[in-house]
Amino acid sequence: MLNNMTDCEEAEGGPNSQGDGNPKESSPFINSSAASDTEKSQQYDGKNMALFEEEMDTSPMVSSLLSSLANYSNLPTGSKEHEEAENNEEGARPSKKPVKAPQLGTLMGVYLPCIQNIFGVILFLRMTWMVGIGGVFGSFIIVFMCCSTTMLTAISMSAIATNGVVPAGGSYYMISRSLGPEFGGAVGICFYLGTTFAGAMYILGCIEILLIYIVPQAAIFKIEGLEGPEAEAALLNNMRVYGTIVLSFMALVVFVGVKYVNKLALVFLACVILSILAVYAGVIKTALDPPVFPVCLLGNRTLLSKGYDICAKVIEIDNDTVTTKLWRSFCDSDSLNATCDDYFNNNNVTEIQGIPGVTSGILAENLFGNYLEKGMFLEKRGLASDADPDSPTSGSNRYVLADITSFFTLLVGIYFPSVTGIMAGSNRSGDLRDAQKSIPIGTIAAITTTSTVYMSCVVLFGACIEGVVLRDKFGEGVNGNLVIGTLAWPSPWVIVFGSFFSTCGAGLQSLTGAPRLLQAISRDGIIPFLRVFGHGKANGEPTWALLLTACICEIGIIIASLDAVAPILSMFFLMCYMFVNLACALQTLLRTPNWRPRFKFYHWALSFLGMSLCLSLMFICSWYYAIVAMGIASCIYKYIEFCGAEKEWGDGIRGISLSAARFALMRLEEGPPHTKNWRPQIMVLVSMDAEQNVEQPRLLSLTNQLKAGKGLTIVGTSVQGTFLDNYTEAQRADQSLRKLMETEKVKGFSQVVISSNLRDGTSHLVQVGGLGGLKHNTVMVGWPKNWKQPEYHQQCRNFIEVVRETTVASMALLVPKNIHSYPSNGERFTEGHIDVWWIVHDGGMLMLLPFLLRQHKVWRKCKMRIFTVAQLDDNSIQMKKDVITFLYHLRIDAEVEVVEMHDSDISAYTYEKTLIMEQRSQILKQMHLTKNEMEREIQSITDSSRGSIRRKNQPGLHSQHSTEEGASVVEKPEDESVAVSNPKQVQLIHSKNASTPTSPTSPTPPAVDNKSADKGQTANADTGKDLFNMKPEWEGLNQTDLRRMHTAMRLNEVIIKKSKEAKLVLLNMPGPPKNRVGDENYMEFLEVLTEGLNRVLLVRGGGREVITIYS
């Protein structure tokens, strides 16, 4: 169906190649020559361009732009280049001739190729049968519907084709550049398959004409003497054998050289035009002198012409009554008293005129349809027939029978291929002098011409030809003549040979165009597994694509039935036309700035109407074929989406995405999401090393495992410096983030901020990440590594500031500790537990996060356990029941355990731990002083501590807070030091619960004095006796810090005891100090709280409920 399909511009691999992996389309108008500064200064000297000479590479002078535009020409590509290459190969060293600009005008370049492709095998072989079966009225509706579809598609195609230069490649180029690579590839493959099956249909039509109308005796599987299914099988086998032979021959011709196909194109076109003129001439002749084509009827049933010699039962010869061949076919002997068929005895033989003529009034009889079941007799309306419905039917091989069951939708599917071929002009766009003018005019004129011919043929066939002849698909009742040939003048052979050569030519052109279309798609690089078909012979001939095309075409040949193949290619062409209309409608409605077609007679409503007609016709023709075709297109679409090359072609789908995103964002602005719709929209804060690589990539693995909620993910980092100086570095960081996100399969966005310091950059990310209502509500940040070492002091401060900012912004916070030990996305836990320590209510984050994690295959087999802490006056049994009920209403499966923690005295180890913490605070406070000042300050602190009044207090009692922050100085390595000072306002979980203060899992820090008590020394909780003496250094300790250290150690003990072997522990993260004193103490509390645990996820809620029991 496609005449001279040519390669896409990008398939040529030139400077404007689209298949080179560059996602942007290059422009032929930008001067990108690498000239030296001296050359540039000389080039623009005296042109008043000194101010702009440094930008001339990217912003050329207007004069050079206009010159480029004037010299730009869309040179012939595809088959003509292959022909020239073949001609050049014949010479030893051919001289390189300048390529002339294309010279084809509207008539030769668009109109006649479209005419040739639209008129085809269906007109000659099935049009009369369609009119006989569907009636003039029904057939006219089918023709009008199909022609309207192609006309509306042509209008849409004209708008797209005139919206800028259309390189060779035609419809595929237009669709892919309008709808994007996914739709372009899917529709391109469908168009390719449609073209390939069209080749099979033409070859089957060619064989049908050859074996039925030209040389029936050439059949390998003889049909003579066979009837019913056997005769049908023999015919199909003949089609398969000869079809394969003809296909091989045609593929060889195309392989040897496409120039032979091009040279014969005019001959094939002449055959088509002469055949149609012969039909019109025959119609005129029937008005004056109808041809003699008698049809013999028995009763009202049409008889096979080969079953009789004279249309009579008996004849008179020399006053003797002699039986005829017809008698002998229905009776058991030649004698007049022979036993004959009942129907033969009861009905008379009638001979009618097969072509009564246009003035006969037969039109009224053929006005309405006469649909037949397979095997039914072709009967003439209005003629008497005496048939016994109870008697068995015999001698059915003597009548003309319906070969298939016919219905309206079948006729649509068979007829539609006869209106395809409207893309022939756009496929030759590279050869046109002015494609933007020729394509609309030529295509619409060709569709108008062919539609007029088709509609007039429907009426004329119904007005000239007897109904039983029209319904006789293979002309078995008119001496085996082609039915449309019986109407032609001067001879039926004009139509027979004309249709034979036109089908041969159309088949050759399909085998020429389809491989080039596949080659263009392959060279675009959007479908990876098709890249091998982009290669070919040295002159560019698509050898591998031709081989694949021949193999697919052989599938149609094996089907062997023209009536079965036609609906298949109808599906693929209808899908292609549907997306052409969709492309035009979208571009019009989106009003993209580049949408400025020269063809003005289009409207989005017409495009939508055309699209609707295409979709309707697909399901009218064959709903199951339609589903298969759409399934193939969908699979290709998803394949390109996941595996194909990323292309940015400025397509309309991107415009739809932008419009839809804007609409959705505006809707999100209407209010905060309901608790049922709350999802963790995560901002992942990562740090980069000197090479701009992510330091903790497992943060993204954990993010991916949490994304069962399918929310937003933003991976952000900050680069220190200024925007002008560090932009390139930020680009590298962004690329590194994108690459890691792709590796970890995290769907989301990357964001890099350049700031004068990392603290402000992180703050900016937390503040401005997201857009409108699509903002993050959760921040994930890694635990600061080596936070006790002085060189990481600022990193620790940044971490605490992030905690404060998320609290102020009412965002949830996730802090995974020991992130390097978290599983990657490829690991699997076959057993184990996810333990949740629910100490304070955080809006349900602790319940939701394990549920989301267990949706991922890494954590799917882990079981969930929830631990909650009971106070001294709590009813632990009732608490457990309440928690179980709560989880039941939340539809969450988990084991529940209530841990009882009774009040106990503070252990000596807790005192020592707190003392060390405050000593570190004091020393770090002095780290900003000079060395001598620091030494003096440390000495004064030591003296103050040793000279203090020693008092003994009971360990569990609250002493008055000392205003001094004195503590004995302890010599310790600097790598144990951290951040700030006064820890009075540290906020931990406000709980007075405690248990045995022994902490066997916590090693004694090296800073502990030799006189200090062993960490295993305990106080008896049941007695109030003082089992150890208070040390002088303990007296000045801040009692708030002491209590909180005691709580952290007691909680840590219990967690270690219950969750030591858990795969993951989630627990509430204490809040930070409200002021900026005591930050290092806060870090110490968190360290003690999580000490000895492998994987810990600290969680802070965002101040709102994120999970609900209601539906």
Side-chain angles (χ1 to χ4, degrees):
M1 302 277 309
L2 299 175
N3 189 19
N4 296 331
M5 172 68 73
T6 52
D7 294 347
C8 284
E9 177 185 342
E10 65 274 15
E12 300 302 319
N16 297 332
S17 174
Q18 305 300 331
D20 57 0
N22 185 1
K24 305 286 185 184
E25 290 215 33
S26 57
S27 169
F29 310 131
I30 300 298
N31 177 20
S32 58
S33 61
S36 65
D37 293 339
T38 306
E39 291 172 346
K40 288 179 183 177
S41 61
Q42 295 173 355
Q43 183 178 359
Y44 302 115
D45 187 34
K47 296 184 179 181
N48 300 319
M49 286 290 163
L51 284 175
F52 305 98
E53 61 184 16
E54 292 185 357
E55 301 177 354
M56 284 298 173
D57 283 345
T58 56
S59 304
M61 290 187 296
V62 174
S63 58
S64 63
L65 172 66
L66 294 176
S67 175
S68 300
L69 285 168
N71 294 330
Y72 181 74
S73 61
N74 199 354
L75 297 179
T77 55
S79 57
K80 282 201 169 187
E81 288 188 353
H82 300 326
E83 181 179 339
E84 290 170 2
E86 288 177 357
N87 291 334
N88 289 340
E89 287 175 0
E90 295 172 2
R93 301 180 67 86
S95 59
K96 187 176 181 180
K97 297 180 180 180
V99 182
K100 294 183 180 180
Q103 296 297 323
L104 289 179
T106 302
L107 180 67
M108 295 299 296
V110 181
Y111 181 77
L112 291 179
C114 283
I115 291 286
Q116 181 181 359
N117 279 267
I118 294 172
F119 286 136
V121 63
I122 300 296
L123 171 64
F124 301 119
L125 294 183
R126 295 292 183 270
M127 191 73 168
T128 53
W129 174 78
M130 185 187 77
V131 174
I133 295 291
V136 173
F137 185 68
S139 301
F140 193 88
I141 291 176
I142 293 173
V143 172
F144 180 78
M145 196 161 47
C146 295
C147 291
S148 299
T149 302
T150 54
M151 179 61 79
L152 292 171
T153 304
I155 292 172
S156 299
M157 184 189 71
S158 299
I160 298 173
T162 58
N163 187 50
V165 177
V166 179
S171 57
Y172 163 69
Y173 184 93
M174 289 189 295
I175 296 171
S176 61
R177 270 53 177 183
S178 296
L179 293 180
E182 292 88 0
F183 276 110
V187 178
I189 292 296
C190 286
F191 197 38
Y192 163 74
L193 292 174
T195 308
T196 305
F197 276 103
M201 184 186 73
Y202 289 132
I203 292 173
L204 290 174
C206 170
I207 302 303
E208 184 176 308
I209 295 170
L210 181 70
L211 293 181
I212 295 178
Y213 305 113
I214 298 180
V215 279
Q217 58 273 20
I220 298 174
F221 299 90
K222 300 300 181 183
I223 305 176
E224 296 293 334
L226 300 177
E227 57 178 286
E230 295 178 353
E232 183 180 353
L235 175 62
L236 294 181
N237 287 332
N238 284 321
M239 302 282 279
R240 292 183 181 109
V241 172
Y242 278 98
T244 303
I245 295 171
V246 172
L247 173 62
S248 304
F249 175 74
M250 287 185 174
L252 183 64
V253 170
V254 174
F255 176 76
V256 169
V258 73
K259 61 182 180 181
Y260 303 111
V261 179
N262 291 334
K263 289 177 179 177
L264 290 173
L266 196 59
V267 176
F268 300 143
L269 175 62
C271 291
V272 172
I273 294 176
L274 286 176
S275 299
I276 294 173
L277 291 177
V279 171
Y280 279 104
V283 169
I284 296 172
K285 185 177 183 298
T286 61
L288 306 174
D289 181 20
V292 178
F293 274 99
V295 178
C296 192
L297 304 178
L298 177 61
N300 62 355
R301 298 175 182 175
T302 309
L303 295 171
L304 288 173
S305 56
K306 62 183 179 181
Y308 63 90
D309 49 1
I310 299 174
C311 187
K313 294 181 180 180
V314 293
I315 57 173
E316 294 288 337
I317 300 179
D318 299 332
N319 295 325
D320 289 334
T321 302
V322 180
T323 57
T324 62
K325 182 180 178 182
L326 182 62
W327 178 282
R328 292 190 293 273
S329 64
F330 280 94
C331 302
D332 57 3
S333 69
D334 294 345
S335 63
L336 293 175
N337 58 356
T339 303
C340 298
D341 181 75
D342 290 341
Y343 188 83
F344 181 78
N345 290 328
N346 298 335
N347 292 275
N348 296 322
V349 175
T350 310
E351 187 176 68
I352 61 171
Q353 187 58 257
I355 302 180
V358 73
T359 58
S360 64
I362 196 70
L363 178 64
E365 185 180 321
N366 294 331
L367 203 56
F368 298 102
N370 188 9
Y371 298 100
L372 303 173
E373 295 286 335
K374 183 176 181 179
M376 284 181 63
F377 303 107
L378 297 191
E379 298 176 344
K380 178 173 171 55
R381 289 175 178 170
L383 204 61
S385 175
D386 184 4
D388 184 2
D390 297 329
S391 63
T393 303
S394 60
S396 58
N397 60 334
R398 306 177 185 94
Y399 303 103
V400 180
L401 304 176
D403 66 325
I404 60 172
T405 300
S406 53
F407 40 89
F408 181 80
T409 56
L410 175 73
L411 299 184
V412 177
I414 292 175
Y415 172 73
F416 188 80
S418 66
V419 297
T420 58
I422 62 173
M423 300 289 188
S426 63
N427 292 334
R428 298 168 63 96
S429 56
D431 302 330
L432 300 174
R433 186 185 307 115
D434 185 357
Q436 295 191 20
K437 177 183 176 183
S438 298
I439 289 177
I441 296 174
T443 304
I444 292 175
I447 292 175
T448 304
T449 303
T450 53
S451 300
T452 304
V453 170
Y454 282 138
M455 292 179 187
S456 62
C457 281
V458 167
V459 177
L460 294 176
F461 290 164
C464 294
I465 305 176
E466 177 62 50
V468 290
V469 178
L470 287 173
R471 289 185 286 278
D472 187 358
K473 183 186 290 185
F474 302 112
E476 295 170 302
V478 285
N479 298 320
N481 282 302
L482 183 62
V483 174
I484 193 174
T486 61
L487 184 63
W489 181 87
S491 168
W493 292 105
V494 174
I495 292 287
V496 172
F497 283 107
S499 59
F500 176 77
F501 285 117
S502 70
T503 50
C504 287
L508 278 172
Q509 287 160 5
S510 294
L511 290 178
T512 303
R516 281 166 176 73
L517 176 59
L518 181 61
Q519 187 182 47
I521 298 171
S522 304
R523 289 185 174 179
D524 252 351
I526 57 175
I527 305 179
F529 74 86
L530 289 180
R531 283 176 183 156
V532 65
F533 299 107
H535 307 293
K537 292 196 293 187
N539 61 355
E541 192 74 18
T543 309
W544 292 107
L546 176 62
L547 183 63
L548 178 65
T549 303
C551 293
I552 297 175
C553 197
E554 179 64 21
I555 296 174
I557 299 297
I558 292 173
I559 295 173
S561 171
L562 187 97
D563 302 325
V565 172
I568 296 176
L569 66 101
S570 296
M571 291 302 113
F572 293 121
F573 279 118
L574 278 167
M575 183 166 289
C576 177
Y577 296 164
M578 180 176 72
F579 281 105
V580 169
N581 285 297
L582 176 62
C584 179
L586 287 183
Q587 298 277 28
T588 307
L589 288 175
L590 292 173
R591 297 174 182 170
T592 52
N594 191 53
W595 180 247
R596 302 185 300 273
R598 290 189 177 277
F599 180 77
K600 301 299 181 183
F601 305 100
Y602 69 94
H603 193 269
W604 65 265
L606 293 177
S607 299
F608 267 118
L609 179 60
M611 185 180 69
S612 303
L613 273 174
C614 290
L615 188 61
S616 302
L617 284 175
M618 285 178 67
F619 284 92
I620 287 174
C621 293
S622 174
W623 63 269
Y624 45 89
Y625 279 161
I627 291 175
V628 170
M630 295 175 78
I632 292 173
S634 301
C635 291
I636 297 169
Y637 179 94
K638 299 306 289 185
Y639 177 79
I640 296 173
E641 187 178 37
F642 284 110
C643 305
E646 292 186 5
K647 301 283 184 179
E648 174 52 65
W649 286 333
D651 52 85
I653 294 299
R654 185 172 178 82
I656 290 182
S657 301
L658 290 172
S659 298
R662 173 184 169 275
F663 175 77
L665 286 172
M666 297 302 292
R667 289 290 302 272
L668 286 176
E669 283 286 280
E670 294 177 2
H674 192 273
T675 302
K676 291 186 290 186
N677 296 326
W678 194 93
R679 291 173 176 174
Q681 322 278 17
I682 301 179
M683 160 76 79
V684 187
L685 298 177
V686 297
S687 55
M688 314 292 283
D689 58 18
E691 285 77 29
Q692 300 304 322
N693 294 319
V694 178
E695 291 183 345
Q696 296 176 325
R698 287 293 168 87
L699 282 173
L700 269 68
S701 302
L702 179 61
T703 303
N704 180 40
Q705 293 157 24
L706 275 170
K707 293 317 288 179
K710 305 294 183 186
L712 170 73
T713 302
I714 302 174
V715 182
T717 189
S718 57
V719 174
Q720 189 169 355
T722 63
F723 186 79
L724 294 178
D725 297 335
N726 299 91
Y727 179 72
T728 306
E729 185 180 349
Q731 291 293 98
R732 286 204 312 273
D734 187 64
Q735 291 176 3
S736 179
L737 289 181
R738 289 175 183 271
K739 185 176 180 181
L740 182 61
M741 291 172 69
E742 183 178 351
T743 302
E744 297 293 342
K745 298 180 180 179
V746 174
K747 300 291 185 180
F749 309 97
S750 60
Q751 194 166 1
V752 180
V753 170
I754 303 174
S755 181
S756 57
N757 60 77
L758 298 180
R759 169 81 287 279
D760 290 344
T762 305
S763 179
H764 296 158
L765 283 171
V766 173
Q767 293 177 58
V768 303
L771 179 64
L774 194 65
K775 294 180 70 70
H776 57 280
N777 53 29
T778 305
V779 175
M780 181 186 291
V781 61
W783 179 261
K785 63 177 182 179
N786 303 326
W787 64 270
K788 295 183 180 181
Q789 298 180 13
E791 57 266 29
Y792 293 97
H793 172 62
Q794 188 59 42
Q795 183 181 352
C796 176
R797 290 179 64 98
N798 291 348
F799 170 78
I800 299 174
E801 288 301 306
V802 170
V803 179
R804 288 196 178 99
E805 287 170 355
T806 55
T807 304
V808 171
S810 298
M811 295 180 185
L813 178 67
L814 307 178
V815 181
K817 195 179 177 197
N818 301 328
I819 187 66
H820 61 276
S821 66
Y822 277 67
S824 66
N825 292 327
E827 297 180 38
R828 303 285 186 278
F829 287 134
T830 56
E831 58 182 0
H833 294 91
I834 299 176
D835 286 357
V836 176
W837 283 83
W838 190 21
I839 301 169
V840 295
H841 185 54
D842 59 351
M845 279 290 289
L846 283 174
M847 308 295 173
L848 184 62
L849 293 176
F851 170 77
L852 296 178
L853 281 174
R854 291 181 67 232
Q855 307 302 307
H856 196 274
K857 52 192 174 184
V858 174
W859 305 92
R860 187 166 294 151
K861 295 187 178 180
C862 292
K863 295 181 179 179
M864 183 174 167
R865 296 190 300 189
I866 294 182
F867 298 91
T868 186
V869 177
Q871 305 294 338
L872 181 61
D873 53 350
D874 288 333
N875 185 341
S876 58
I877 298 176
Q878 186 60 39
M879 279 184 66
K880 183 172 182 179
K881 290 181 179 179
D882 293 341
V883 173
I884 291 174
T885 304
F886 181 59
L887 292 177
Y888 175 78
H889 288 304
L890 288 177
R891 292 89 64 200
I892 291 177
D893 297 325
E895 299 176 19
V896 176
E897 186 173 343
V898 177
V899 178
E900 296 182 353
M901 294 180 63
H902 302 295
D903 288 340
S904 66
D905 293 333
I906 302 175
S907 68
Y909 181 70
T910 306
Y911 275 98
E912 290 295 341
K913 195 81 173 174
T914 311
L915 177 63
I916 295 166
M917 178 184 72
E918 293 199 355
Q919 287 172 345
R920 180 182 291 118
S921 300
Q922 291 297 323
I923 289 181
L924 281 172
K925 183 179 179 182
Q926 308 305 324
M927 290 187 64
H928 299 291
L929 305 176
T930 62
K931 183 177 181 181
N932 294 334
E933 290 174 332
M934 182 175 65
E935 289 176 355
R936 287 196 302 272
E937 182 70 18
I938 293 174
Q939 186 61 42
S940 65
I941 293 172
T942 306
D943 295 341
S944 173
S945 175
R946 289 177 178 174
S948 61
I949 301 173
R950 292 162 170 75
R951 289 175 300 176
K952 295 184 179 180
N953 296 330
Q954 291 296 333
L957 300 179
H958 295 283
S959 63
Q960 185 178 2
H961 293 315
S962 172
T963 55
E964 286 187 45
E965 295 181 30
S968 85
V969 72
V970 179
E971 301 259 341
K972 55 180 150 326
E974 287 186 7
D975 61 355
E976 289 188 354
S977 305
V978 195
V980 192
S981 56
N982 190 2
K984 290 183 181 179
Q985 302 297 326
V986 179
Q987 293 182 338
L988 193 67
I989 301 164
H990 297 292
S991 174
K992 298 180 181 179
N993 36 355
S995 66
T996 47
T998 307
S999 181
T1001 58
S1002 303
T1004 302
V1008 177
D1009 192 88
N1010 292 333
K1011 297 180 181 180
S1012 62
D1014 185 80
K1015 65 180 179 179
Q1017 185 177 1
T1018 63
N1020 191 333
D1022 296 332
T1023 66
K1025 296 181 180 180
D1026 183 10
L1027 299 181
F1028 56 88
N1029 293 326
M1030 292 287 292
K1031 293 191 176 183
E1033 292 86 350
W1034 297 349
E1035 295 179 359
L1037 293 178
N1038 187 309
Q1039 294 301 306
T1040 303
D1041 290 347
L1042 190 61
R1043 287 198 325 273
R1044 290 173 181 171
M1045 179 64 75
H1046 179 56
T1047 302
M1049 293 179 66
R1050 288 294 292 115
L1051 279 173
N1052 177 259
E1053 270 185 45
V1054 178
I1055 295 172
I1056 289 289
K1057 182 179 178 181
K1058 299 287 186 181
S1059 303
K1060 180 69 174 176
E1061 302 301 325
K1063 300 299 182 184
L1064 178 65
V1065 177
L1066 290 87
L1067 72 157
N1068 295 108
M1069 183 178 182
K1074 290 185 178 179
N1075 54 21
R1076 285 171 174 75
V1077 293
D1079 282 358
E1080 72 285 350
N1081 294 352
Y1082 173 68
M1083 294 298 296
E1084 189 73 45
F1085 293 144
L1086 295 181
E1087 190 72 60
V1088 171
L1089 183 64
T1090 58
E1091 198 169 14
L1093 297 173
N1094 186 25
R1095 300 186 192 93
V1096 186
L1097 183 59
L1098 296 169
V1099 180
R1100 278 183 64 76
R1104 61 161 294 164
E1105 294 292 331
V1106 301
I1107 195 166
T1108 178
I1109 65 174
Y1110 299 104
S1111 61

